[in-house]
Amino acid sequence: MVTVYVVKVRVATPRTGRTARRPAVTAASPNVATRVLASARQQGLSVAVAESLTGGSVCASLVAIPGASDVFRGGVVAYDSSIKTSVLGVSAELLAEAGPVSLDVAAAMALGVQTLLHSDVAAATTGSAGPQSHGGVEAGTVCVAAVTGTGLWARTVRFDGDRDEVRAGANEAALALLEAALSDPDSISSWRQGT
């Protein structure tokens, strides 16, 4: 049995309380990707990624690191909901009930790519990059998930900015959640449990 932990997070600037903007290119992402791969390598684990709104940028962040092929199995870009269903095994009922931008769909995508690519750990991204809402979900809403042998975690994050900024934030959030799941799962297991 897998326990799902969820958290909803809104990133805000301390001074204004307004939602923070994320730069389209971040210097932190390569470092996080390096740590994800190093942690997986140290534990003898393989990694896979399923992506929707990020369109392959999480995979690109990982393969940009020399030696990624030691642990990175691959990824699936499932931008269209029919691909989420036919390739990743996300149920059509779940997509209809929860919508494509949801914690449940992110979790199902992570589990689907883990199974499809026979990986030990996996991450997934889905969201609404904007400029308009998607499936009734406000632009800038991102759901990421990570699954390991010890648990499944999903998180909703909200970013302001243009499409590039939202997608860059989603990329960073997915890698950060995967890093936490690999290196310090106790740090995220205190998140409130949900469905």
Side-chain angles (χ1 to χ4, degrees):
M1 179 170 176
V2 176
T3 302
V4 179
Y5 299 95
V6 298
V7 66
K8 293 188 178 187
V9 177
R10 185 169 174 97
V11 179
T13 60
R15 285 191 345 221
T16 66
R18 292 181 28 217
T19 303
R21 288 186 169 258
R22 297 287 184 192
V25 178
T26 66
S29 293
N31 294 331
V32 176
T34 298
R35 291 191 303 267
V36 165
L37 295 174
S39 182
R41 186 176 295 112
Q42 183 179 27
Q43 297 174 62
L45 301 174
S46 58
V47 178
V49 177
E51 301 183 64
S52 185
L53 87 149
T54 49
S57 69
V58 178
C59 290
S61 294
L62 292 168
V63 301
I65 308 304
S69 61
D70 292 351
V71 296
F72 185 61
R73 306 256 323 146
V76 172
V77 175
Y79 202 74
D80 186 86
S81 289
S82 67
I83 303 303
K84 291 175 180 72
T85 300
S86 64
V87 176
L88 296 175
V90 177
S91 78
E93 293 80 19
L94 177 61
L95 281 162
E97 290 174 19
V101 181
S102 68
L103 293 171
D104 290 334
V105 168
M109 290 172 63
L111 288 166
V113 78
Q114 181 187 39
T115 300
L116 180 68
L117 298 183
H118 307 286
S119 69
D120 300 305
V121 300
T125 66
T126 187
S128 176
Q132 68 277 358
S133 64
H134 178 65
V137 176
E138 183 182 358
T141 303
V142 173
C143 297
V144 295
V147 60
T148 70
T150 60
L152 171 62
W153 298 270
R155 139 191 275 182
T156 298
V157 186
R158 172 87 179 96
F159 298 102
D160 276 347
D162 63 21
R163 288 182 60 82
D164 288 341
E165 291 170 318
V166 171
R167 292 176 65 241
N171 182 54
E172 190 173 326
L175 288 169
L177 183 58
L178 187 56
E179 178 187 20
L182 279 166
S183 63
D184 189 13
D186 290 337
S187 72
I188 53 178
S189 65
S190 62
W191 293 352
R192 69 177 173 81
Q193 187 171 348
T195 57

